[in-house]
Amino acid sequence: MKKHASPQVAAQPCILMIGPDDPQRSLLRSTLLAAGCRTLICARRRDANDLIRFASVVICEHSLPDGSWRDVLQCAEMLERAPAVIVTSRLAAGDPRTEVLSLGGYGVLDRPFCAKDVMGIVRKAHNRWLSLSETGAVRASALPGRIACETHAFR
């Protein structure tokens, strides 16, 4: 199974946010932009398929209109340099940390978002992505045998 190449490694975080448009997403985007992060935004998993290769970190809602964070993680793992996947969770929805970490996600961000928590986990996730990129390490989960995600060419 062919792995998809990632664009060149960048020191500046590029964050892909996947989830519905709401006030919390706007707050999250403002926090990331204020910290100098480039941001890409989409509402659905299928839209993320085209953008994920440009991200060093993905922040994904637990549930999406056309899938879930697990689908996004699976797509990310097909890249040579997979972005770190962070899942957002509403406190009332339970605690998905164990599942996220055991399946290869980087971590969980609780809603409502706290700027300090957001930037702490994003910086750590991006630095991990950079260190894996610099050493040429490929995540074990990115090895052949995973189901490929859909990809579409930009036009």
Side-chain angles (χ1 to χ4, degrees):
M1 188 173 305
K2 184 179 175 184
K3 287 179 261 167
H4 304 282
S6 298
Q8 221 171 11
V9 174
Q12 180 185 22
C14 183
I15 314 302
L16 172 58
M17 297 169 33
I18 310 169
D21 189 12
D22 65 13
Q24 281 292 300
R25 185 174 90 172
S26 297
L27 174 66
L28 179 59
R29 181 174 185 266
S30 296
T31 299
L32 295 169
L33 290 173
C37 299
R38 292 175 293 156
T39 59
L40 306 169
I41 301 172
C42 59
R44 298 173 301 186
R45 178 201 51 84
R46 72 173 170 246
D47 298 329
N49 290 339
D50 289 333
L51 300 172
I52 198 164
R53 64 181 167 205
F54 298 105
S56 58
V57 178
V58 174
I59 300 176
C60 181
E61 287 288 322
H62 189 272
S63 297
L64 300 167
D66 60 345
S68 76
W69 68 270
R70 288 177 213 84
D71 302 314
V72 172
L73 178 66
Q74 187 175 44
C75 186
E77 289 177 336
M78 293 308 302
L79 298 172
E80 287 181 38
R81 291 182 177 89
V85 176
I86 298 169
V87 178
T88 64
S89 173
R90 287 172 177 75
L91 292 175
D95 189 1
R97 280 172 182 72
T98 302
E99 180 184 20
V100 169
L101 295 174
S102 69
L103 292 178
Y106 186 80
V108 175
L109 266 173
D110 294 325
R111 286 175 157 254
F113 300 123
C114 165
K116 182 179 176 184
D117 293 342
V118 167
M119 291 317 303
I121 194 169
V122 165
R123 282 190 185 107
K124 289 176 186 173
H126 177 71
N127 287 338
R128 178 173 163 242
W129 179 84
L130 277 177
S131 68
L132 291 175
S133 297
E134 289 169 357
T135 63
V138 177
R139 291 172 38 179
S141 58
L143 297 175
R146 293 289 201 174
I147 298 170
C149 65
E150 302 168 23
T151 57
H152 307 280
F154 284 108
R155 299 203 191 276

